[in-house]
């Protein structure tokens, strides 16, 4: 490649351009330098405006157009987590509250410090003044526009031409993880600011002769803003991935500046540190509370298991060349991703030409010449791959000790680092390949035979992979870790590999024949290929077109209006056999709810219920939640979240039996029948686990023992194995057993007990087999057993009207027992149970050695489930128990009722302690008002640091503006 560097990169600088302009020629003479002050690819302003405008318009089309037609882009986690939490932030801001606490999930949890809401991100505040759909869409459009225009500006400032810069920006913003990860909106929002941060770093580390002090201050301020925005996005992975990119690039540029001049290097390092430090300060209001929450969360002590969860298998790097090799989005009947994990988390495909560029550029290296600036992006690409592989590399023992990074899971998302690097490398390669003056201009040097040969290597690899998939697809899939139905998957996948083969063939032809084409045609074909390649990727690996997708639903309406009591509606639907699922909001619960479906057997019905975190839209309260972190003590006792991230729609069955859910005012639990009854194959025998069986029950004389069925079942017969408990000295007794079923209407139908295989008339008898038959099949919701002798029963086996057998030994069978829990009907496939021992929001507890006589408590202000103040009266002092999660940050104060004529007493600070999972406060004797207040740990320090940084950034802009005016005045 020949020519002069673009404006902003001084001639002969050697490190001022990502391209080869200053590396393929000797230092020009003074006259040549003056003529080189114009960019080599000098273009009018109109093409520049067209390039930027097209990127903005494309952002509007991709994310704004679907919203205009009633289909906003809200996939996956966005629908159940990110959108509801942001709407909650908007609600808080409209009400004049700081968005720091979420009362709707995990029995009360941090909102700002929980990361996922992006509560401190400025564009999230749009939810306070706009509808949820409009604010959400603007956030997506802004992220895409920021990523694309920012990347374009960075590449242009690096000395690249309009067309290569446009292609690189297009590739980064609309390919790979930036579109595949849209279901994790905080991630793409955070990463969208990285290109602008790179632009600031580029300007701050430019040679001193090409910059002024005022411009350095402006760029330092821009660096601060962009770094701050990454931190405020509320996504830890965007923070770590962005930090990796910026740190590597800054180090490269500063070292280059130091080689030129110690003074220049020191100035560059100082201004970079100034900008980065101010940016960290801007993000402190998010980072400090977030780190404090992590320190007390289930991830407070991360280990190898957490770090390795979600690491990218090394063999799956082939997806960088064939993105749907393991199935895709399901468009037009395409096989859906069939391997473990999910396609969103492992997709890093940004096109074939970026792979060509990453290899072909090595042909441009020259001995005894300065290292080209594009070489740093090869390092960045490699770093992204190593981080994405996680514990699949030998370096994981070192990576796990990197702050913040080592405490995260889902390392595969670091492939977005590689995506950005490949996009930049594509622009660098096209800059030396597209704009040549003649066909012969690219047949030597940078565009010579060696470059074409190297560029053909990745394409040949892609073609080889597709050929192997056609000839030995099952073997290839097994090599990639797909062991189940590999042959079947390989056969169904073959037709859908044709696009990959066609694209690879077209790219190979373009690389080989490109130098013989005219520059205009070469530029048109290259940019057209980039667009088509990304479009095919979107259709086959991102967006499901032509099939109904369970995850492609519109967001739930905000604050739905309850229509009828759920118990009556559930019973009505059960009697009519309807399976329509309605929202939990229609139940008008006075307490919290929990859903048990860890296997996500009914994903679409779960969304209809309004499970966490979407329950914030309906204003329903849950003991569960969905997010990155939850208080560690709460997670341990309730089982609602694990260190690996597993935790949606699950709780510990023990928590339902031992009173933990009771203490949290849990009124309703919903669960499918599969967690109560287990199908039994003909001839199969049940096996007890090491920890016993959930369906075992003790039988007591005079007491009915209940097994819930988890939903209506037409029962024809029941079989029970009973072990009689020995009772010495009581004499011979006769075992009499009654077996019945509870119908949906609350009636009991007793069965005819046919046989006892073993007579239990002797106290030493150990077993009896009971066979009960109903005259006609009965739609039952529970099995009831009465026994005249103390005994224990194995899990019963029921036979329905079709002859299918079910064992009542599901995971919830022991936990959900009567009379603690009462069956109240069905909501679609979910059985609804009410907790008969649920505690009210406020209860009293006598101190040790004390009494509750004469003590009372009454809510004064705040929601029913989260009272903010209460009137308490006690003669000797009392403990007030508040049924909210005892997470750090809560404090209380006590204001005694003043005597008549006396001045109001000053409030007294009280300590909020933990009682199990809930809060308890020791209140002094007398009558007064107890008030609770939440203040996120680390928030005050974060607010002060952010305020100071905002002031510093404003000062930088003001000083830069004044110096700029002075400089222009002197020049005039």
């Amino acid at each position: 490649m020949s020519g002069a560097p673009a404006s902003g990169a001084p001639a002969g600088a050697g490190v001022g351009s990502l391209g080869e302009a200053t590396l393929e020629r000797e230092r020009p003479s003074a006259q040549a330098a003056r003529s080189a002050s114009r960019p080599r690819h000098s273009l009018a302003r109109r093409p520049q405006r067209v390039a930027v405008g097209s990127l903005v318009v494309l952002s509007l089309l991709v994310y704004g157009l679907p919203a205009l037609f009633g289909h906003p882009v809200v996939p996956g986690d966005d629908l159940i987590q990110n959108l509801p939490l942001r709407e909650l932030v908007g609600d808080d801001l409209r009400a004049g509250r700081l968005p720091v606490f979420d009362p709707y999930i995990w029995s009360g949890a941090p909102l700002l410090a929980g990361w996922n809401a992006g509560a401190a991100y400025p564009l999230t505040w749009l939810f306070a003044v706009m509808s949820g759909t409009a604010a959400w869409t603007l956030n997506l459009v802004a992220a895409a526009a920021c990523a694309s225009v920012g990347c374009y500006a960075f590449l242009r400032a690096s000395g690249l031409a309009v067309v290569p810069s446009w292609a690189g920006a297009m590739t980064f913003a609309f390919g790979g993880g930036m579109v595949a990860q849209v279901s994790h909106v905080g991630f793409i929002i955070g990463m969208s600011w990285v290109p602008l941060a790179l632009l600031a770093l580029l300007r701050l580390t430019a040679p001193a002769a090409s910059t002024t002090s005022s411009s350095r201050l402006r760029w330092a301020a821009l660096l601060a803003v962009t770094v701050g925005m990454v931190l405020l996005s509320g996504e830890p992975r965007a923070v770590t991935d962005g930090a990796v990119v910026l740190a590597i690039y800054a180090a490269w540029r500063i070292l280059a500046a130091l080689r030129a001049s110690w003074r220049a290097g020191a100035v560059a390092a100082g201004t970079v540190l100034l900008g980065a430090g101010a940016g960290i300060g801007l993000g402190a209001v998010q980072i400090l509370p977030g780190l404090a929450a992590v320190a007390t969360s289930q991830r407070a002590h991360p280990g190898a298991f957490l770090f390795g969860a979600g690491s990218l298998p090394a063999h799956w790097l082939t997806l960088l060349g064939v993105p749907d090799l393991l199935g895709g989005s399901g468009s037009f009947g395409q096989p859906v991703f069939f391997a473990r994990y999910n396609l969103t988390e492992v997709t890093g495909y940004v096109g074939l030409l970026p792979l060509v560029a990453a290899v072909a550029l090595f042909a441009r290296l020259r001995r005894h010449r300065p290292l080209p600036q594009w070489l740093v992006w090869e390092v960045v690409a490699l770093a992204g791959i190593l981080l994405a592989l996680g514990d699949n590399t030998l370096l994981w023992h070192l990576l796990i000790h990197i702050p913040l990074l080592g405490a995260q899971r889902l390392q595969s998302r670091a492939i977005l680092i590689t995506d950005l690097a490949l996009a930049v490398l594509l622009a660098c390669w096209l800059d030396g390949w597209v704009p040549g003056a003649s066909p012969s201009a690219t047949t030597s040097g940078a565009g010579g035979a060696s470059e074409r040969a190297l560029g053909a290597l990745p394409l040949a690899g892609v073609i080889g992979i597709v050929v192997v998939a056609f000839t030995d697809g099952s073997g290839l899939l097994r090599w990639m870790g797909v062991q189940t139905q590999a042959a079947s998957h390989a056969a169904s996948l073959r037709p859908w590999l044709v696009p990959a083969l066609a694209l690879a063939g077209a790219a190979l032809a373009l690389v080989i024949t490109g130098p013989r084409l005219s520059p205009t045609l070469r530029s048109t074909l290259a940019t057209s290929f980039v667009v088509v390649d990304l479009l095919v990727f979107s259709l086959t690996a991102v967006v499901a077109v032509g099939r109904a997708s369970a995850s492609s639903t519109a967001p739930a309406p905000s604050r739905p209006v309850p229509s009828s009591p759920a118990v009556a509606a559930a019973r009505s639907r059960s009697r009519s056999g309807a399976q329509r699922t309605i929202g939990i909001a229609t139940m008008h619960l006075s307490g919290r709810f929990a859903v048990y479906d860890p296997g996500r057997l009914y994903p679409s019905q779960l969304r209809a219920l309004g499970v966490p975190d979407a329950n914030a839209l309906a204003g329903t309260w849950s003991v569960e939640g969905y997010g990155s972190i939850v208080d560690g003590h709460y997670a341990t006792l309730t089982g609602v979240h694990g260190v690996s991230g597993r935790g949606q729609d699950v709780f510990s069955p023990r928590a339902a039996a031992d009173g933990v859910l009771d203490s949290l005012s849990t009124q309703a639990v919903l669960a499918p029948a599969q967690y109560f009854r287990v199908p039994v194959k003909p001839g199969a025998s049940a096996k007890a686990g090491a920890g016993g069986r959930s369906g075992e029950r003790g039988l007591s004389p005079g007491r009915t023992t209940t097994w819930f069925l988890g939903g209506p079942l037409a029962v024809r017969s029941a079989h029970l194995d009973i072990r009689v408990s020995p009772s010495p000295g009581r004499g011979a007794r006769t075992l009499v057993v009654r077996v019945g079923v509870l119908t949906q209407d609350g009636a009991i139908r007793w069965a005819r007990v046919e046989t006892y295989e073993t007579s239990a008339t002797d106290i030493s008898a150990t077993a009896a087999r009971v066979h009960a038959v109903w005259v006609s099949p009965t739609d039952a919701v529970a099995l009831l057993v009465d026994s005249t002798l103390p005994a224990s029963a194995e899990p019963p086996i029921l036979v329905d009207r079709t002859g299918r057998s079910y064992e009542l030994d599901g995971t919830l069978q022991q936990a959900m027992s009567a009379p603690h829990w009462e069956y109240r009907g069905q909501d679609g496939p979910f059985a609804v149970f009410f907790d008969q021992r649920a505690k009210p929001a406020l209860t009293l507890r006598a101190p040790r050695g004390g009494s509750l006589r004469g003590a009372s408590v009454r809510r004064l202000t705040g929601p029913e489930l989260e009272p903010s103040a209460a009137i308490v009266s006690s003669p000797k002092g009392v403990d007030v128990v508040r049924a909210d999660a005892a997470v750090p940050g809560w404090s209380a104060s006590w204001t005694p009722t003043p005597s008549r004529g006396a001045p109001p007493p000053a409030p007294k600070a009280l300590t909020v302690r933990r009682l199990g999972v809930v809060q308890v406060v020791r209140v002094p004797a007398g009558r007064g008002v107890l008030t609770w207040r939440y203040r996120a740990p680390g928030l005050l320090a974060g607010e002060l640091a952010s305020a100071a940084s905002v002031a510093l950034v404003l000062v930088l802009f003001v000083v830069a503006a004044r110096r700029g005016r002075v400089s222009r005045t002197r020049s005039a």
Side-chain angles (χ1 to χ4, degrees):
M1 173 178 168
S2 61
S7 59
V15 294
S17 170
L18 286 172
E20 297 294 326
T22 59
L23 300 182
E24 295 297 322
R25 51 180 293 169
E26 299 296 328
R27 185 177 299 273
S29 63
Q31 182 177 359
R34 286 192 298 271
S35 64
S37 61
R38 296 185 300 273
R40 178 173 55 88
H41 311 309
S42 179
L43 295 172
R45 289 186 176 182
R46 183 177 177 183
Q48 185 96 311
R49 291 197 298 266
V50 169
V52 174
S54 65
L55 293 173
V56 175
V57 169
L58 189 59
S59 302
L60 288 167
L61 291 176
V62 171
Y63 296 111
L65 192 62
L68 290 178
F69 287 94
H71 298 283
V73 181
V74 195
D77 284 2
D78 288 341
L79 184 64
I80 61 176
Q81 180 190 52
N82 298 316
L83 174 60
L85 293 180
R86 280 159 173 77
E87 289 217 38
L88 180 58
V89 171
D91 288 348
D92 284 344
L93 292 175
R94 277 194 300 272
R97 298 187 300 265
L98 287 177
V100 296
F101 193 75
D102 183 354
Y104 299 109
I105 63 173
W106 287 318
S107 305
L111 181 62
L112 169 69
W115 298 94
N116 301 109
Y121 184 67
L123 291 185
T124 301
W125 304 340
L126 291 175
F127 285 89
V129 296
M130 306 176 69
S131 69
T133 298
W136 177 265
T137 302
L138 281 179
N139 269 263
L140 289 178
V141 171
C146 182
S148 57
V149 176
C151 190
Y152 175 83
F154 167 66
L155 294 173
R156 286 289 289 148
S158 300
L160 306 184
V162 169
V163 171
S165 299
W166 183 89
M170 175 87 171
T171 297
F172 171 63
F174 301 102
M178 285 299 287
V179 291
Q181 291 283 357
V182 72
S183 58
H184 306 113
V185 69
F187 188 35
I188 66 167
I189 284 177
M191 290 299 294
S192 70
W193 290 96
V194 172
L196 283 176
L198 290 169
L199 173 62
L201 286 175
L202 175 68
R203 293 305 194 188
L204 287 173
T205 55
S210 62
T211 58
T212 63
S213 59
S214 60
S215 66
R216 285 189 181 276
L217 293 178
R218 284 196 298 270
W219 291 115
L222 177 63
L223 179 61
V225 171
T226 53
V227 169
M229 288 297 187
V230 174
L231 298 176
L232 293 175
S233 68
E235 175 52 58
R237 294 174 192 85
V239 174
T240 54
D241 289 359
V244 168
V245 174
L246 297 179
I248 294 176
Y249 186 71
W252 178 276
R253 295 282 302 179
I254 290 172
L255 287 175
L258 286 171
R259 287 196 296 270
S261 164
W262 278 101
R263 183 179 180 279
V267 170
T271 51
V272 166
L273 290 176
L274 174 65
I280 294 173
L282 283 175
V285 70
Q286 171 67 71
I287 294 299
L288 294 184
L291 293 178
V294 170
T296 59
S297 74
Q298 86 285 8
R299 295 183 182 174
H301 305 287
F305 175 77
L306 175 66
F307 180 83
S311 295
L312 184 70
H315 293 169
W316 288 15
L317 291 175
T318 52
L319 300 180
L320 291 174
V322 187
D324 54 348
L325 188 59
L326 298 175
S329 62
S331 295
F332 310 110
Q334 175 196 29
V336 181
F337 186 77
F338 46 73
R340 61 183 176 85
Y341 214 2
N342 64 77
L343 187 57
T344 295
E345 301 289 10
V346 299
T347 292
Y349 182 86
V350 288
L352 294 177
L353 289 186
L355 298 180
V356 171
V359 179
L361 280 172
F362 283 105
R364 301 184 186 179
L365 291 175
R366 296 291 182 269
R367 296 181 62 183
H368 310 301
R369 296 287 181 87
L371 294 177
Q373 282 297 292
W374 55 258
L375 192 60
V376 67
W377 293 103
E378 302 281 1
V379 176
V380 172
L382 179 60
I385 290 175
L386 291 176
L387 291 175
L389 293 176
D391 66 350
N392 291 317
T393 71
L394 298 178
L395 297 177
W396 76 269
H397 294 284
L398 300 176
L399 299 177
I400 198 173
H401 296 293
I402 298 178
L404 196 58
L405 174 67
Q408 295 179 25
R409 53 190 283 269
L410 305 177
Q411 305 299 334
S412 61
R413 295 185 187 178
I415 200 67
L416 192 52
I417 297 175
T418 302
D419 289 351
L420 174 58
L422 289 175
V424 176
L425 291 171
L426 171 67
C428 296
W429 178 68
L430 287 179
D431 193 64
W433 192 79
V434 166
S438 64
S440 61
T442 57
T443 58
S444 62
S450 59
E451 183 174 318
R452 295 197 299 274
L454 285 178
L457 289 179
L459 298 175
V462 170
I463 293 173
I465 292 172
V466 176
V467 170
V468 172
F470 272 103
T471 57
D472 187 19
S474 58
L476 177 63
L477 293 181
R478 284 192 292 270
W479 176 75
M480 296 188 70
V482 178
Q483 304 299 329
T484 305
Q485 298 181 332
S488 174
H489 288 312
S492 62
L493 193 63
R494 287 191 187 101
W496 301 97
L497 294 175
V498 173
L501 185 62
L503 286 171
L508 185 60
L510 183 61
V511 169
I512 294 175
T513 64
R516 292 189 290 272
L517 303 176
S518 68
T520 302
L521 180 59
R522 192 160 61 242
S523 176
T524 302
L525 290 178
T527 53
S528 299
F529 184 88
V530 169
V531 173
V532 171
D533 198 1
L534 294 179
L535 180 61
V536 172
F537 163 70
S538 295
L539 292 177
T540 57
V542 179
V543 182
V545 180
R547 78 174 180 93
S549 174
S551 61
S552 59
T553 60
S558 179
R559 308 295 184 206
V561 179
S563 58
S564 62
V567 174
R571 287 180 175 174
S572 174
R573 288 192 303 276
S574 298
R575 285 194 293 269
S576 64
Q579 287 294 306
R580 188 173 66 89
T581 305
I582 63 173
I584 292 173
T586 62
M587 293 186 182
H588 302 286
L589 298 177
S590 59
R592 294 188 173 89
F593 75 89
V595 176
Y596 191 88
D597 187 12
R600 300 190 63 77
L601 305 177
Y602 301 99
S604 59
Q605 289 88 339
L606 283 169
R607 283 191 296 274
L609 286 177
V611 297
D613 298 344
N615 62 313
L617 297 177
T620 54
W621 308 61
S622 179
V623 301
E624 300 166 315
Y626 183 56
S628 301
I629 56 174
V630 60
D631 181 73
H633 184 77
Y634 183 87
T636 300
L637 293 186
T638 59
V640 296
H641 203 296
V643 68
S644 67
R646 180 180 175 86
Q648 190 178 6
D649 309 314
V650 67
F651 56 82
S652 169
R654 184 178 60 184
D658 64 8
V660 171
L661 296 189
D662 304 344
S663 67
L664 293 168
S665 292
T666 308
Q667 185 178 3
V669 164
L670 294 85
Q674 288 87 337
Y675 300 108
F676 291 87
R677 60 189 191 226
V678 181
V680 178
K681 296 180 180 179
S685 59
K687 298 180 180 180
R693 302 175 64 187
S694 178
E696 291 182 349
R697 287 284 197 279
L699 306 179
S700 300
R703 178 181 175 184
T704 299
T705 302
T706 304
W707 285 265
F708 288 121
L709 277 58
L713 181 69
V715 178
R716 187 176 69 184
S717 62
H719 309 271
L720 294 93
D721 287 332
I722 297 176
R723 296 188 303 275
V724 179
S725 303
S727 182
R730 298 281 302 269
R733 295 166 297 157
T734 301
L735 174 67
V736 177
V737 176
R738 286 199 311 168
V739 180
V741 291
L742 179 69
T743 66
Q744 298 179 75
D745 295 324
I748 299 177
R749 293 190 58 186
W750 297 104
R752 177 170 56 87
V753 177
E754 288 189 336
T755 61
Y756 291 102
E757 287 192 4
T758 303
S759 176
T761 57
D762 185 80
I763 61 173
S764 62
T766 58
R769 175 157 293 179
V770 177
H771 180 61
V773 178
W774 283 263
V775 175
S776 61
T778 303
D779 285 336
V781 296
L783 181 73
L784 310 177
V785 176
D786 289 344
S787 171
T788 59
L789 296 178
S792 61
E794 293 288 323
I797 294 179
L798 305 183
V799 181
D800 69 4
R801 68 174 61 185
T802 65
R804 287 176 294 189
S805 299
Y806 298 89
E807 186 177 27
L808 301 184
D809 196 35
T811 54
L812 287 182
Q813 193 58 250
Q814 185 68 39
M816 310 293 291
S817 60
H820 187 172
W821 296 90
E822 179 182 337
Y823 175 79
R824 292 291 185 91
Q826 292 291 126
D827 191 353
F830 299 95
V832 181
F833 296 89
F834 272 33
D835 188 353
Q836 303 304 301
R837 302 176 187 171
K839 303 290 186 182
L842 293 174
T843 56
L844 297 179
R845 177 174 177 265
R848 181 175 298 180
S851 171
L852 292 180
R853 180 175 298 178
S856 65
V857 60
R858 178 171 59 86
R859 178 175 61 92
L860 182 62
T861 60
E864 183 177 357
L865 277 176
E866 191 191 310
S868 56
I871 298 176
V872 183
S873 178
S874 64
K876 296 183 179 180
V878 69
D879 286 345
V880 178
V881 181
R882 185 168 178 254
D884 286 81
V887 298
W890 281 104
S891 61
S893 62
W894 169 252
T895 306
T897 302
S899 303
R900 181 174 299 180
K908 177 184 178 182
L910 301 179
T911 301
V912 177
R913 295 179 288 112
R914 176 181 289 156
L915 179 64
V917 293
V918 297
Q919 304 171 17
V920 61
V921 179
R922 177 71 52 85
V923 176
R927 179 181 175 85
V929 175
L930 175 63
T931 304
W932 289 269
R933 182 174 181 266
Y934 177 79
R935 182 77 175 180
L939 179 60
L940 179 59
E943 289 173 333
L944 294 175
S946 292
S949 294
V950 169
L952 175 59
V953 170
L954 291 176
V955 168
L956 291 176
F957 277 122
V958 170
V959 172
R962 288 184 176 180
R963 288 189 177 183
R965 284 197 299 268
V966 170
S967 177
R968 288 191 295 271
T969 302
R970 289 176 178 176
S971 298

